Amino acid sequence: MRRLALVAAAALALAPAALASEQHPTLNELENEIMCPVCTVPLAQSDSPAAKRMEAIMRVQIASGWTKSRIENYWVAQFGESILASPPKRGFDLLAWVLPLAGAALAAAALGVAAVRWRGRRPAEPPLAPRSLNGGGRLEPELERRLDEELARFDA
């Protein structure tokens, strides 16, 4: 519930900016979203005469108060949907938006499952055997008794 409220708050915070962009587009925005029909790169990267004419027309459209979608629809009517730098978010073209996200989600899930499996495959460590001070294992009882006798002889 808390996460849903956070997402809703973020959407409400970003809505005015998105609406302002739609109502009052900038030439810079449009140049990056519309392709040059001659060189097939965004208008912002093109120096062709056709791109310069398109930018001049866009300046007039923006000054006339056209919305972003109206300007984009104008250019789509002139050249087709291939004039847009990104595919529309509907129909078959929606796959261009969904598949990369779905692929990334599947890859993350597969990596998570693999990590859990790899961690589970480690062999259990054997219990630690008691060790003597010199790093060896425990002495046999007879040898330990003889060692104690010899050490006691030196102490006296």
Side-chain angles (χ1 to χ4, degrees):
M1 185 68 179
R2 187 180 212 174
R3 192 175 291 162
L4 180 62
L6 185 61
V7 170
L12 287 174
L14 295 175
L19 187 58
S21 174
E22 172 63 27
Q23 295 299 321
H24 307 288
T26 63
L27 182 62
N28 185 35
E29 229 178 322
L30 292 167
E31 284 179 325
N32 289 310
E33 295 181 11
I34 296 180
M35 305 290 282
C36 173
V38 176
C39 17
T40 64
V41 297
L43 290 175
Q45 298 174 4
S46 177
D47 289 330
S48 72
K52 297 302 175 196
R53 282 192 304 273
M54 289 176 72
E55 289 171 359
I57 294 171
M58 280 186 210
R59 280 188 191 94
V60 171
Q61 292 170 333
I62 292 169
S64 299
W66 285 30
T67 63
K68 183 176 177 180
S69 21
R70 183 175 176 194
I71 295 170
E72 286 178 351
N73 290 338
Y74 171 82
W75 293 109
V76 167
Q78 299 292 319
F79 296 101
E81 285 192 344
S82 63
I83 198 75
L84 298 175
S86 59
K89 296 176 182 136
R90 67 182 188 290
F92 184 75
D93 292 326
L94 185 62
L95 288 176
W97 294 96
V98 173
L99 286 180
L101 297 174
L106 283 174
L111 186 61
V113 168
V116 167
R117 286 189 180 168
W118 289 331
R119 182 178 167 95
R121 288 186 184 165
R122 288 191 313 189
E125 293 183 18
L128 295 176
R131 301 186 65 95
S132 67
L133 294 176
N134 68 356
R138 290 192 60 96
L139 296 175
E140 295 175 11
E142 176 60 28
L143 188 56
E144 191 172 354
R145 182 191 62 76
R146 282 182 50 209
L147 180 62
D148 287 340
E149 287 174 3
E150 291 291 326
L151 289 173
R153 202 174 81 197
F154 282 111
D155 285 340

